[in-house]
Amino acid sequence: MTATTRAPVVAGWPAAVELADAADARAGVETRQATTAELDGVLARFESTWGAGRGPDRSMLQALAHAGNTVLVAVPVQPSAAGEPNRRDHPGNDVLGATLGFLGWQGGIHLHSHMNAVDRAARGRGVGLALKLRQRALCLEHGITEMRWTFDPLIRRNARMNLVRLGTEVIAFHPDFYGRMDDRITGADRSDRFEVRWRLESARTARALARLRQPVWSSRGRFALVHDFEALRADDPAAAARLRERSREAFAALADPSVRPELDTAGDYVFTTDDPDREPE
């Protein structure tokens, strides 16, 4: 789909499509709605990330896709005989990445982006970013201007992707949000989560997606992250549990709705009351 196939629902839709297409080109993939033939590949990608039985079953995925929710895939771009990218559907392609999002209305209509998984061998290429940008473009196509999702606040690379690279903002801290998961990623660790809001046409989002300089946030407190919490959790579960407990104490500051966490230049949390859309000085 291109930005010329229909009149845009919101003004930012054509530019969002172009941004998603550019991310696809950099990652060497095509992101789009999954075909029925690819749903098994989507399930396999989720299960290879979180473990067997940790995602929706195929019938639920079929229903979500049929209703028009974002069940997206990232598949390799196949070269044509002339050497130009061939962007037609290829159901037999490996699913390098998959994402699942569905509509919610708690606190206003939004898309809840629930699952986003990328083949370990394809990580670092920007496939996950490409999927998020395609979700954003599809939301704007249908007049949805906000997305939300949750992430583990102790995983620094996810915090940077969400708060800095995409321009989301934290709107809540949910201790043990999913209960005990015992999946391939979380194991027996607590499922504490930050919930983020991505205002798709905000000044904050535009600045982040353009990779412009971020503000230096004023501070009402800080919390230092470790470089690789997942490695710490695997190598020293007791130390990881202590850090989790300290984080809960620190995140108690977020009970004040005027306070939210941002990342400083060192990659640590700073708690601030600054306007999330303010420009750098």
Side-chain angles (χ1 to χ4, degrees):
M1 178 178 291
T2 67
T4 60
T5 56
R6 56 179 282 188
V9 174
V10 294
W13 174 52
V17 172
E18 292 178 4
L19 195 64
D21 288 346
D24 279 8
R26 287 192 300 271
V29 297
E30 178 185 3
T31 57
R32 52 168 170 74
Q33 291 276 51
T35 66
T36 299
E38 290 167 329
L39 293 182
D40 286 335
V42 171
L43 289 174
R45 178 56 49 222
F46 290 158
E47 290 196 346
S48 70
T49 301
W50 287 284
R54 297 301 176 179
D57 63 24
R58 195 186 187 287
S59 62
M60 177 61 73
L61 200 62
Q62 173 68 36
L64 289 167
H66 179 74
N69 289 284
T70 56
V71 182
L72 307 184
V73 292
V75 296
V77 173
Q78 299 296 311
S80 69
E84 293 297 323
N86 179 352
R87 298 178 65 84
R88 294 175 299 173
D89 289 350
H90 291 272
N93 281 347
D94 290 336
V95 175
L96 296 181
T99 192
L100 167 63
F102 43 83
L103 285 181
W105 53 74
Q106 180 70 29
I109 295 292
H110 62 279
L111 183 96
H112 184 83
S113 184
H114 181 53
M115 303 181 82
N116 193 43
V118 176
D119 183 355
R120 183 177 295 276
R123 292 175 190 172
R125 288 170 38 183
V127 176
L129 174 63
L131 284 164
K132 283 293 190 189
L133 292 177
R134 186 64 61 191
Q135 262 190 324
R136 174 177 180 261
L138 288 168
C139 283
L140 293 176
E141 178 183 356
H142 293 283
I144 303 299
T145 59
E146 184 174 311
M147 288 171 56
R148 301 181 198 167
W149 60 88
T150 64
F151 76 96
D152 187 334
L154 297 188
I155 300 179
R156 177 183 267 174
R157 72 173 188 281
N158 288 350
R160 178 162 293 281
M161 170 62 76
N162 291 328
L163 302 185
V164 178
R165 184 66 184 89
L166 296 177
T168 70
E169 59 202 87
V170 175
I171 58 173
F173 171 57
H174 301 295
D176 260 333
F177 186 56
Y178 297 109
R180 180 160 174 157
M181 300 179 73
D182 288 317
D183 63 12
R184 188 169 290 166
I185 294 177
T186 307
D189 190 14
R190 293 171 172 173
S191 59
D192 294 354
R193 295 293 186 267
F194 277 166
E195 182 179 3
V196 294
R197 170 175 61 196
W198 198 17
R199 292 177 292 121
L200 303 182
E201 292 197 293
S202 67
R204 175 188 178 93
T205 294
R207 183 176 67 239
L209 295 180
R211 311 199 78 162
L212 300 179
R213 184 167 59 90
Q214 302 297 301
V216 176
W217 304 103
S218 66
S219 174
R220 293 185 54 176
R222 295 181 178 274
F223 184 78
L225 295 173
V226 296
H227 175 69
D228 190 341
F229 178 74
E230 290 169 299
L232 178 67
R233 184 163 56 192
D235 298 338
D236 191 343
R242 289 193 295 271
L243 182 63
R244 179 74 70 188
E245 195 60 41
R246 291 199 302 274
S247 75
R248 284 187 163 195
E249 295 170 2
F251 297 155
L254 305 181
D256 180 345
S258 69
V259 177
R260 72 177 188 285
E262 297 282 0
L263 284 186
D264 62 18
T265 55
D268 295 324
Y269 287 122
V270 55
F271 304 132
T272 186
T273 58
D274 292 350
D275 182 342
D277 288 318
R278 79 173 181 84
E279 297 291 333
E281 296 179 356

